């Protein structure tokens, strides 16, 4: 293998062969260390037996001495402690009595808060302490208390758990100064909560207290949008999470036990009781470990006197940081939980006899929660030792297998290659290139350029304007393809770890001549400047001297050709020899395939060509010889929008007969225009597709007397029939009859028979004439609509679909005008309810706007989807800075309002001014991030700045951005007499 031969798309990992003696020695050391390690750290059978015995003993102690977890006992204990606390606080504030009700009354009178004025709004005496956030002993409660002082409003939830805000009836308890508001919102609030802890003065010690911190927290998060609609099972019903919290608080869930602050304090006390058997289990295991290891240590070190104690190594018997002890604690904890949970399950089963809901509650009340938590901790501690055991055994096995293998095959090294998949890079490169093709096509095909071409007055115009557009698009984008291939190779060098450097070219020239982006590779100690090109190139003697001065020993042109056949290959070889001869060997040439084979392996070029071929096909389809025949989705969308405006502004009323009264004309106009039914003709139904297709061909058609033009109007002819059937179908399954297909008799017009009915235009007209109820106009206008349909069928549709060919442009115009008038009569004169709009492909104007706004609204997810491939593949390695430019769209197109964001890499950076933002290295602006929003320039800048900042913190390729000297977001304004810029630095490297 030659030194500079780079393996096929691979990174190389070498396992250096050891001699047989070295391998055996290293393996023996591993085994020896492993045996020492196991002897020192492993628990034995007796250790496991004692651990299991301890777990069983303490679990029995828990079952018979600690007993069940009792919410009732917890509540009683909590009530006593809280009552004593409230009494002491009130006495410290001047209360002279010894009764709890008097103490509560004293505090209630001394420390009033305005939220109590909203008791009824927040659920009355039973629920307002829970629903009113100001009564929560949490940080949220404190914030809401202070906020209420400054806003005069209370904050909480309604019956359904929705967050609500209520005005205080007066400002009597609102502070008048800043200090008073803070004092009232903190100190007064705290003492008021103390007055509410033990219930009201009328039911001291037993009434409704305040929720504890845990229940308060769950009530607060239950009002969040992401949590509000979560449901849980309660008895036989699904109830909201918020409702479950209320049931727990008001003693509905746990019968007779109100889970308030007092109960939460009691629960903490109950859990401390449960901790005793768990701690006892821990102590027994550790004590046994200590005594046994100490005895072993004394015996091994031959300790017979106090003086010999210094021989002992405390690490061998102290119950800490030991693999054996960790395993013993895990065994004892597992045993404890198995015995204790089995007893809990048995007790709950016997008590409830299969009643599911009560069984779950009783089972939970019987288990030792501290024991569960202790098991989690012990297992986590032991898990790392288990992992190390498995890892150590696996490593020894792997080392032995490799060692045995090498001894057998006796090779100096083993080379393991991992293929690097470049497909994502190919996809990104050619996707970006296709976007540039589309943009150039749309730009050169725009009305602005069409007007310029028409007014230029081309003297000799053999190819015509379409050919000049085509030639311009092809030439521009083939040059771009050369540049894209050069950047692709550079990125592949980076991915494959191939060293290269860029030839220094002024940024201005690199943009004007992207093919001049030369990269330099080392080959056999020489620096070879490589340039991708699609044609024969030569350098002047002066240019060759400049290259040599930079240390370049030769220039190699990588030709984007793939010659096939002997003649083509010989022609290239002659060209290559001629270039080398004229430059004394300084100019070299190679085919792109040979370059791929040398640097990326023989298989990679075929993968590359898959993407090149696909790009060529897509680009040809996109451009075509006539640039308007293969429109993009975006072009169709814009075309539909323009057609919708045309239909909306068409003067239909002038075409109506003069004897149709004004009221009937208004019905037609209101239905079609004001209700927006005209938009059905550019919607999603088949009749709309037919109409839009004919409009498209009509807009590009050049009528010639030599060819039949029926194809241009086929869509108009079909659309009327398809639209009429959509209207008739609204009466399906209504008891009506319709002509049977291929017969003269009638059949029921039902969904089941739909495939059998005659949907030809004549059949549909007869249905409309017979069932006048489908119309929304009077009988005179009905007759006019039916007569117009009959005239259309006889003189327009049948003539041109069945009998006569079409050559005259006037006939095309007449068919088009008649079809547009019929759309107006049918959609304006028939009964189409709002509920039927979907069936006609019509979305309400408001819904359409909302959908469009949502689809193209700014979101971090869309932003990251746009920027990730650019940062991964699209930025030059030697760039210094990054600039995000924001442009407002509606300056040019009031209908296509919104914002564009482009990313540019720059070749320089300086803190003195922003001129460096103009030193663009690569025109990445063809790939824009677009979003819809109607807000100010400052808001657009803020939106982009926040998105970039968020990406720098959490983005997938944030480290890629951080390697540049600076990242700036800049707003480019068209609304000034000059280009005004506002820049904000979002990141600067230290």
């Amino acid at each position: 293998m030659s030194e500079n031969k780079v393996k096929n798309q691979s990174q190389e990992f070498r396992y250096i062969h050891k001699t047989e003696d070295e391998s055996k020695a290293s393996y023996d050391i591993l085994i020896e260390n492993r045996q020492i390690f196991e002897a020192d750290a492993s628990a034995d059978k007796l250790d496991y037996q004692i651990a299991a015995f301890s777990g069983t003993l303490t679990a029995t102690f828990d079952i018979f001495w600690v007993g069940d977890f009792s919410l009732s006992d917890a509540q009683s204990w909590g009530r006593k402690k809280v009552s004593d606390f409230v009494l002491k606080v009130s006495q410290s504030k001047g209360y002279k009595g010894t009764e709890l009700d008097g103490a509560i009354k004293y505090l209630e009178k001394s420390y009033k808060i305005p939220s109590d004025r909203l008791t009824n709004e927040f659920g009355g005496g039973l629920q307002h302490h829970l629903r009113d956030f100001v009564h929560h002993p949490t940080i949220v409660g404190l914030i809401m208390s202070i906020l209420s002082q400054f806003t005069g409003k209370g904050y909480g939830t309604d019956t359904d758990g929705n967050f609500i805000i209520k005005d205080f009836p007066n400002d009597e308890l609102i502070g008048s100064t800043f200090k008073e508001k803070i004092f009232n919102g903190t100190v007064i609030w705290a003492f008021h909560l103390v007055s509410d802890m033990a219930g009201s003065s009328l039911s001291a010690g037993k009434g409704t207290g305040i929720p504890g911190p845990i229940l308060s927290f769950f009530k607060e998060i239950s009002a969040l949008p992401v949590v509000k609609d979560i449901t849980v099972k309660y008895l036989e019903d699904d109830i909201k999470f918020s409702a479950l919290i209320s049931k727990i608080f008001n003693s509905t869930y746990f019968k007779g036990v109100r889970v308030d602050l007092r109960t939460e304090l009691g629960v903490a006390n109950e859990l401390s009781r449960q901790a005793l058997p768990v701690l006892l289990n821990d102590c027994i295991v550790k004590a046994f470990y200590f005594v046994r290891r100490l005895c072993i240590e004394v015996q091994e070190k031959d300790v017979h006197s106090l003086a010999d104690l210094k021989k002992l190594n405390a690490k061998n018997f102290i119950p800490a940081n030991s693999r054996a002890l960790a395993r013993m604690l895990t065994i004892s904890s597992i045993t404890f939980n198995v015995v204790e949970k089995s007893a809990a399950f048995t007790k709950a089963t016997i008590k409830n006899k299969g009643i599911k809901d009560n069984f779950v509650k009783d089972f939970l009340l019987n288990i030792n929660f501290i024991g569960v938590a202790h098991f989690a901790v012990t297992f986590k501690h032991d898990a790392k030792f288990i992992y190390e055991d498995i890892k150590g055994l696996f490593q020894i096995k792997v080392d032995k297998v490799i060692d045995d293998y090498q001894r057998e095959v006796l090779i100096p090294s083993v080379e393991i290659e991992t293929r690097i998949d470049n497909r994502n890079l190919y996809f990104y490169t050619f996707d970006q290139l296709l976007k540039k093709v589309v943009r150039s096509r749309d730009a050169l095909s725009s009305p602005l350029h069409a007007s310029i071409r028409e007014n230029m007055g081309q003297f000799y115009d053999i190819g015509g304007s379409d050919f000049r557009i085509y030639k311009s698009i092809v030439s521009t984008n083939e040059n771009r393809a050369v540049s894209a291939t050069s950047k692709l190779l550079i990125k592949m060098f980076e991915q494959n770890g191939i060293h290269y450097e860029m030839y220094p070219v002024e940024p201005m020239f690199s943009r004007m001549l992207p093919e001049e982006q030369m990269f330099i590779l080392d080959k056999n100690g020489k620096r070879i400047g490589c340039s991708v090109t699609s044609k024969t190139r030569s350098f002047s003697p002066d240019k060759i001297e400049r290259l040599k001065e930079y240390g370049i020993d030769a220039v190699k042109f990588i030709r984007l050709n793939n010659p096939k056949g002997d003649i083509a290959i010989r022609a290239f070889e002659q060209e290559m020899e001629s270039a080398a001869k004229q430059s004394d060997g300084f100019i070299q040439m190679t085919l792109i395939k040979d370059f791929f084979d040398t640097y990326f392996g023989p298989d990679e070029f075929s993968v590359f060509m898959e993407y090149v071929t696909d790009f060529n096909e897509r680009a040809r389809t996109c451009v075509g010889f006539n640039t308007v025949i293969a429109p993009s989705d975006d072009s169709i969308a814009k075309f539909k929008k323009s057609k919708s405006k045309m239909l909306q502004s068409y003067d239909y009323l002038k075409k109506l007969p003069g004897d149709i009264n004004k009221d009937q004309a208004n019905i037609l106009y209101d239905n079609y225009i004001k209700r927006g039914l005209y938009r059905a003709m550019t919607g999603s139904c088949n009749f709309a597709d037919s109409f839009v297709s004919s409009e498209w061909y009509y807009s590009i058609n050049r009528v010639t007397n030599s060819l039949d033009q029926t194809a241009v109007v086929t869509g108009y002819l079909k659309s009327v029939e398809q639209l009429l059937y959509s209207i008739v179908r609204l009466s399906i399954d209504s008891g009506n009859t319709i002509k049977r297909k291929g017969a003269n008799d009638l059949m029921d017009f039902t969904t089941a028979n739909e495939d059998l009915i005659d949907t030809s235009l004549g059949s549909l007209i007869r249905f409309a004439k017979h069932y006048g109820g489908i119309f929304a106009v009077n009988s005179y206008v009905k007759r006019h609509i039916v007569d117009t349909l009959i005239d259309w069928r006889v003189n327009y549709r049948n003539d041109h679909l069945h009998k006569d060919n079409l050559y005259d442009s006037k006939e095309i115009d007449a068919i088009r005008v008649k079809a547009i008038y019929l759309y107006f009569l049918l959609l304006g004169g028939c009964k189409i309810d709002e509920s039927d709009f979907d069936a006609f492909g019509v979305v309400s104007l408001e819904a359409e706007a909302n959908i469009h706004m949502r689809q193209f609204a700014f979101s971090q997810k869309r932003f990251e989807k746009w920027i990730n491939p650019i940062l991964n593949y699209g930025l030059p390695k030697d760039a210094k800075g990054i600039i995000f430019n924001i442009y407002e769209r509606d300056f040019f197109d009031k209908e296509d309002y919104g914002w564009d964001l482009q990313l540019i890499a720059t070749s320089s950076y300086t803190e003195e001014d922003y001129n460096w933002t103009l030193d663009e290295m690569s025109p990445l602006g063809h790939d824009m991030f677009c979003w819809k929003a109607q807000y100010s320039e400052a808001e657009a800048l803020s939106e982009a700045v926040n998105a970039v900042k968020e990406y720098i913190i959490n983005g997938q390729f944030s480290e890629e951005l951080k390697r540049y000297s600076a990242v700036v977001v800049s707003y480019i304004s068209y609304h000034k007499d000059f280009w005004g810029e506002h820049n904000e630095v979002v990141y600067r490297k230290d």
Side-chain angles (χ1 to χ4, degrees), residues 96-111:
K96 304 301 183 182
T98 57
E99 299 298 325
L100 179 60
D101 57 348
I104 294 174
K105 187 180 297 183
Y106 180 84
L107 291 174
E108 286 177 341
K109 184 177 180 181
S110 303
Y111 301 100

Side-chain angles (χ1 to χ4, degrees), residues 512-527:
M512 295 170 60
L513 301 170
E515 67 272 16
E516 294 286 3
Q517 295 175 349
M518 184 183 295
F519 50 86
I520 302 168
L521 298 172
D522 291 332
K523 185 173 183 181
N524 298 328
K526 292 186 177 182
R527 288 160 52 82

Side-chain angles (χ1 to χ4, degrees), residues 43-76:
D44 59 16
K45 183 177 179 181
L46 180 60
D47 289 328
Y48 293 151
Q49 288 175 339
I50 294 299
F53 170 75
S54 175
T56 304
L57 178 66
T58 51
T60 305
F61 174 72
D62 177 77
I63 295 167
F64 291 103
W65 185 80
V66 175
D68 298 348
F69 184 98
S70 173
L71 277 178
S72 179
D73 291 346
Q75 185 183 57
S76 299

Side-chain angles (χ1 to χ4, degrees), residues 585-625:
F586 189 80
I587 302 296
Q588 304 172 8
M589 287 189 187
T590 186
L591 294 172
I592 183 71
K593 181 182 185 305
D594 295 333
F595 189 85
F596 262 78
D597 290 349
T598 301
Y599 286 93
F600 309 115
D603 299 327
E604 188 63 23
F605 183 72
S606 60
V607 180
F608 167 73
M609 282 304 299
E610 288 178 21
Y611 286 84
V612 171
T613 303
D614 179 67
F615 165 75
N616 286 334
E617 292 175 355
R618 292 167 67 193
R620 288 193 198 107
T621 302
C622 174
V623 178
F625 185 78

Side-chain angles (χ1 to χ4, degrees), residues 675-923:
R675 294 180 68 211
L677 279 167
Y678 68 91
R679 291 180 299 116
M681 299 312 304
T682 53
S684 56
C685 291
N686 55 3
F687 56 79
D689 291 340
S690 297
F691 165 68
V692 171
S693 296
S694 271
E695 282 292 280
W696 182 267
Y697 292 122
Y698 177 82
S699 68
I700 66 173
N701 179 57
R702 286 169 175 73
V703 175
T704 170
N705 291 330
S706 302
L707 294 174
D708 175 35
Q709 302 295 314
T710 305
V712 176
V713 299
T714 300
Y716 299 129
L717 300 172
K718 286 175 59 181
S719 63
V720 172
E721 193 168 326
Q722 291 168 331
L723 174 60
L724 181 56
Y725 180 68
S726 294
I727 293 171
V728 166
R729 196 181 185 284
L730 294 176
S731 302
I732 201 167
D733 296 321
S734 299
N736 301 327
T737 58
I738 196 168
K739 184 176 177 294
R740 186 190 299 273
K741 187 189 301 183
N744 291 322
D745 63 319
L746 299 177
M747 63 183 304
D748 292 336
F749 187 26
T750 64
T751 305
N753 294 336
E754 192 168 8
D755 292 338
L756 304 175
I757 65 174
D758 184 352
T759 58
S760 65
L761 186 57
S763 170
L764 297 176
I765 292 174
R766 284 194 291 273
F767 183 94
K769 187 175 181 180
H770 183 72
Y771 296 107
I774 69 172
F775 293 102
V777 288
N778 64 20
S779 58
Y780 182 79
V781 181
K782 290 178 193 175
R783 283 196 299 275
H784 173 65
I785 295 173
V786 171
D787 290 345
T788 306
L789 284 169
I790 293 172
D791 178 61
W792 168 266
R793 175 174 175 258
V794 174
N795 297 316
Y796 294 88
R797 180 189 180 280
N798 288 355
D799 272 358
H800 299 296
L801 282 184
H802 300 308
K803 187 170 60 174
D804 298 332
N805 289 341
L806 181 62
Y807 299 98
D808 189 356
S809 62
K810 291 181 180 179
E811 286 189 79
I812 293 175
D813 290 339
I815 292 171
R816 177 175 180 267
V817 169
K818 192 76 169 182
I820 291 172
Y821 179 58
L822 270 169
Y823 305 150
F824 168 71
L825 291 178
L826 290 172
L827 290 169
C830 293
K831 291 179 181 177
I832 302 174
D833 298 331
E834 296 282 340
S835 58
D836 299 321
F837 274 28
D838 283 346
F840 284 79
V842 180
V843 181
S844 70
L845 293 173
E846 182 179 357
E848 188 176 50
N850 289 337
I851 291 171
H852 195 62
M853 287 293 288
R854 285 198 304 273
Q855 186 177 359
F856 294 100
F858 194 103
S859 72
Q860 192 70 20
K861 185 176 181 181
R862 282 187 62 230
F863 173 77
E864 293 191 6
K865 185 177 180 181
W866 166 71
I867 196 176
N868 279 341
I870 297 176
L871 294 179
N872 194 20
Y873 302 119
L875 294 182
K877 184 179 180 181
D878 52 345
K880 297 296 188 299
I882 296 294
I883 178 79
F884 289 88
N885 287 328
I886 307 173
Y887 301 91
E888 187 172 6
R889 282 183 148 192
D890 70 345
F891 183 80
F892 296 111
D893 187 351
K894 298 297 181 184
E895 295 298 323
D896 191 23
Y897 67 89
W899 305 85
D900 289 335
L901 186 69
Q902 67 176 169
L903 185 152
I904 297 294
T906 64
S907 61
S908 64
Y909 167 72
T910 175
E911 293 191 11
E912 283 72 29
D913 55 49
Y914 286 98
N915 287 334
W916 64 272
T917 61
L918 303 177
D919 295 335
E920 300 177 10
M921 292 189 67
S922 53

Side-chain angles (χ1 to χ4, degrees), residues 279-295:
L279 291 174
L280 181 60
N281 188 20
D282 231 33
C283 290
I284 292 173
V285 172
K286 289 181 178 179
F288 174 80
Y289 175 90
F290 171 77
V291 172
R292 188 180 184 211
R293 262 61 179 179
L294 178 60
C295 292

